[in-house]
Amino acid sequence: MSEETVAVPLGGPTVRPRRLRTTPALRRMVAETSLEPRQLVLPVFVREGLSEPQPISSMPGVVQHTRSSLLGAVSEAAELGLGGVMLFGIPEHKDATGSGAIDPAGILNLAITDVVAEVGDALTVMSDLCIDEFTDHGHCGVLTPDGRVDNDRTLAVYAEMALAQAAAGVDMVGPSGMMDGQVAVIRAALDVAEHTDVSILAYSAKYASAFYGPFREAVDSSLQGDRRTYQQDSPNARESVREALLDIEEGADIVMVKPALAYLDVVRRVRDAVDVPVAAYNISGEYSMLEAAAAQGWIDREVAILETLTSIRRAGADIVLTYWASEVARLLG
Ligand code: PBG
């Protein structure tokens, strides 16, 4: 092609989007999306009976905490100005009904009290409200005699778990089991017990995902099979809007989409459909994939982390749960 055929007017184009990309200051000024520590929530694992923090091999940089090492992590999170922490407990003994979840002396309930005593009101203290870490079969609910997850009997367990967590002092509970009606039952139980200020972060749109793989190691899960009869099916997006709206009707204060990266369209749809804050969970497999590629030297780790979290914010998440929360807060600071 000769020079003369190029259709650029003499002197070049007058409309030049690149002008606003000229300097870092200019790019910062026109950025449409922000990433701030207050928008980030750090998920943390605490395991009963540990004497030393235990690395999680499939999540390099993440550990199962002892009760005391947990306090270091959460006080750092508070100093960094994170929005909150999400606590997961791993009991020494698991059973069919997940009884460790409702025991006031169960690891998660003890950890809630420890963490609240450590950080006070400086952080929103949240706890996973689901029994899969506590059941010997690894499912999020109790089972029928023929081995199916029993929705309605599970609701009664969740109500008790909510009361135990509220009694331990939690600010916000995170029902993650995808039982129908779970938010309504938990809200009612909390209200009757006068825990009206305990709020609910509902895992409203939670998909059955291969990307939870490393989390199963993180919580020593004993799950055989999958959660496809209660978690959502990846082809469906409309259904997530329905789930979110139902949860809001049932009393959810915040709704969440999970996983984040393979479901950014769902984050956007839910954000556009509701008027409560929307959270998204940047889950274990998303963390591990990036860490693995970075460890090979295939991507620039810090830039990739910031780009990933920004994409989740840009899709519409007000709040992002991420294992990088403290590190990113430090980078941003
Ligand atoms: C269930 C729960 C899961 C995660 C958070 N809560 C696992 C699952 O549903 O199988 C996954 C979080 C992650 O992968 O980072 N209590």
Side-chain angles (χ1 to χ4, degrees):
M1 203 188 277
S2 75
E3 288 274 317
E4 290 76 21
T5 64
V6 176
V8 173
L10 210 61
T14 49
V15 179
R16 292 176 179 266
R18 281 186 57 196
R19 274 192 201 107
L20 294 184
R21 301 172 198 148
T22 310
T23 66
L26 196 42
R27 293 195 293 272
R28 187 175 67 225
M29 186 177 77
V30 301
E32 297 173 36
T33 307
S34 71
L35 192 58
E36 303 167 46
R38 69 178 180 93
Q39 299 155 345
L40 305 177
V41 171
L42 178 70
V44 282
F45 303 103
V46 56
R47 179 164 156 200
E48 186 177 13
L50 272 191
S51 50
E52 290 289 322
Q54 174 90 22
I56 300 163
S57 64
S58 56
M59 298 179 74
V62 180
V63 299
Q64 294 177 333
H65 281 288
T66 67
R67 276 178 72 185
S68 76
S69 73
L70 175 66
L71 301 184
V74 299
S75 61
E76 181 193 45
E79 275 159 33
L80 290 166
L82 296 190
V85 288
M86 173 63 80
L87 307 180
F88 292 92
I90 305 131
E92 230 164 352
H93 304 290
K94 307 189 184 214
D95 61 25
T97 59
S99 60
I102 60 179
D103 180 355
I107 183 64
L108 181 53
N109 298 321
L110 293 176
I112 290 169
T113 304
D114 290 347
V115 168
V116 171
E118 180 76 14
V119 302
D121 286 341
L123 275 183
T124 302
V125 179
M126 313 177 189
S127 51
D128 187 49
L129 203 169
C130 186
I131 59 175
D132 64 311
E133 290 91 20
F134 297 89
T135 53
D136 52 15
H137 46 72
H139 275 295
C140 294
V142 294
L143 304 182
T144 60
D146 60 352
R148 285 173 300 128
V149 173
D150 186 332
N151 191 88
D152 298 6
R153 276 181 54 234
T154 300
L155 294 182
V157 179
Y158 286 178
E160 280 195 69
M161 193 173 178
L163 292 179
Q165 296 185 346
V170 82
D171 297 317
M172 187 178 286
V173 294
S176 65
M178 290 300 281
M179 295 302 123
D180 289 337
Q182 62 186 11
V183 173
V185 164
I186 290 165
R187 185 70 269 159
L190 291 170
D191 289 350
V192 168
E194 295 183 22
H195 291 299
T196 50
D197 285 343
V198 172
S199 43
I200 301 178
L201 165 71
Y203 287 63
S204 301
K206 181 173 177 184
Y207 287 84
S209 172
F211 295 102
Y212 300 141
F215 178 91
R216 304 273 161 87
E217 181 198 345
V219 300
D220 299 333
S221 173
S222 34
L223 184 70
Q224 305 284 326
D226 59 51
R227 307 192 196 287
R228 291 185 183 279
T229 66
Y230 46 106
Q231 296 180 344
Q232 287 176 250
D233 206 15
S234 70
N236 299 355
R238 257 191 335 247
E239 187 187 301
S240 283
V241 173
R242 178 163 188 248
E243 288 277 12
L245 293 174
L246 274 173
D247 279 355
I248 293 167
E249 262 179 53
E250 293 181 24
D253 300 288
I254 299 177
V255 293
M256 184 148 75
V257 174
K258 176 185 177 184
L261 295 183
Y263 300 89
L264 292 176
D265 59 320
V266 176
V267 174
R268 169 50 57 196
R269 284 208 200 200
V270 170
R271 175 61 288 164
D272 290 344
V274 305
D275 56 9
V276 298
V278 172
Y281 198 141
N282 174 221
I283 63 160
S284 58
E286 299 170 355
Y287 174 91
S288 302
M289 281 194 299
L290 192 153
E291 289 289 348
Q296 297 282 340
W298 292 339
I299 55 174
D300 180 332
R301 182 175 174 279
E302 285 179 6
V303 179
I305 291 171
L306 292 173
E307 184 177 337
T308 296
L309 298 180
T310 299
S311 77
I312 299 169
R313 289 266 307 126
R314 193 187 63 237
D318 303 290
I319 301 161
V320 183
L321 277 70
T322 172
Y323 300 99
W324 290 303
S326 293
E327 181 182 350
V328 166
R330 244 178 272 117
L331 285 176
L332 296 172

